[in-house]
Amino acid sequence: MSLVQSVESKAIYMGRLSHGCDLLMELTRICEEKNITLGKITAIGAVKKAVLGYYNTDKFEYEDHIINEPMELLNLTGNVSLKDGKTMVHCHVTLSDKSGKALGGHLFPETIVFACEYIIEKFDGNKLSREFDKETGLALWPVEKS
Ligand code: ZN
């Protein structure tokens, strides 16, 4: 059975990240500071460099893509929940290069902000805690086994 639960919007924060900060770590820090353990994140901007992941579903492991050039941050979409009792921010990004070509992946630390405007929405609802999932090898929200 798929997991379905309703949430209610509790607060919406919007702002700008500082130049040179770590995109994922700074979004996580803001969520911790604002006590957000359930929510959604969107952002746009540009990055100086990026570390993205592609999850190899045969090997059950992430392959890293390190992009050592400035890229446009076309879209960041993410969610906030808990893992091991701590705030966990999970984001995917779409970036574009000088020629406008896009690529994307799972956002890892060491993606450095050039400029970034974000919106974080805090939800009220049942807490979601990630657990190790045998079928995928990932830390996912639990579903009832059918
Ligand atoms: Zn991911």
Side-chain angles (χ1 to χ4, degrees):
M1 290 275 281
S2 298
L3 173 70
V4 182
Q5 71 174 49
S6 69
V7 295
E8 273 180 45
S9 184
K10 174 85 176 166
I12 301 175
Y13 300 91
M14 67 190 290
R16 197 195 117 193
L17 301 184
S18 60
H19 180 86
C21 71
D22 183 304
L23 180 55
L24 181 61
M25 305 307 272
E26 186 62 3
L27 290 171
T28 303
R29 194 195 63 74
I30 292 168
C31 288
E32 286 170 350
E33 185 184 285
K34 299 295 177 195
N35 249 329
I36 301 166
T37 56
L38 192 63
K40 95 179 224 194
I41 303 180
T42 61
I44 53 174
V47 297
K48 295 180 179 204
K49 58 166 286 205
V51 181
L52 306 183
Y54 167 82
Y55 192 68
N56 184 318
T57 55
D58 294 324
K59 293 186 180 165
F60 278 26
E61 63 188 25
Y62 278 102
E63 293 167 10
D64 291 3
H65 292 289
I66 298 169
I67 300 154
N68 272 316
E69 59 176 306
M71 301 287 280
E72 198 77 7
L73 174 58
L74 302 180
N75 182 59
L76 174 152
T77 300
N79 58 55
V80 188
S81 60
L82 293 167
K83 187 182 169 199
D84 302 324
K86 287 195 221 139
T87 301
M88 156 122 191
V89 171
H90 180 200
C91 297
H92 286 189
V93 297
T94 310
L95 306 174
S96 71
D97 67 14
K98 222 193 241 182
S99 70
K101 287 208 180 70
L103 62 100
H106 176 100
L107 178 66
F108 277 125
E110 293 181 39
T111 298
I112 306 302
V113 168
F114 180 80
C116 180
E117 298 167 350
Y118 69 87
I119 299 173
I120 303 175
E121 185 164 10
K122 178 178 183 170
F123 294 144
D124 252 357
N126 288 337
K127 70 174 185 188
L128 282 176
S129 294
R130 293 181 178 277
E131 293 169 10
F132 178 75
D133 177 73
K134 291 207 290 280
E135 277 176 334
T136 62
L138 293 164
L140 300 176
W141 299 329
V143 292
E144 275 177 48
K145 299 289 175 223
S146 51

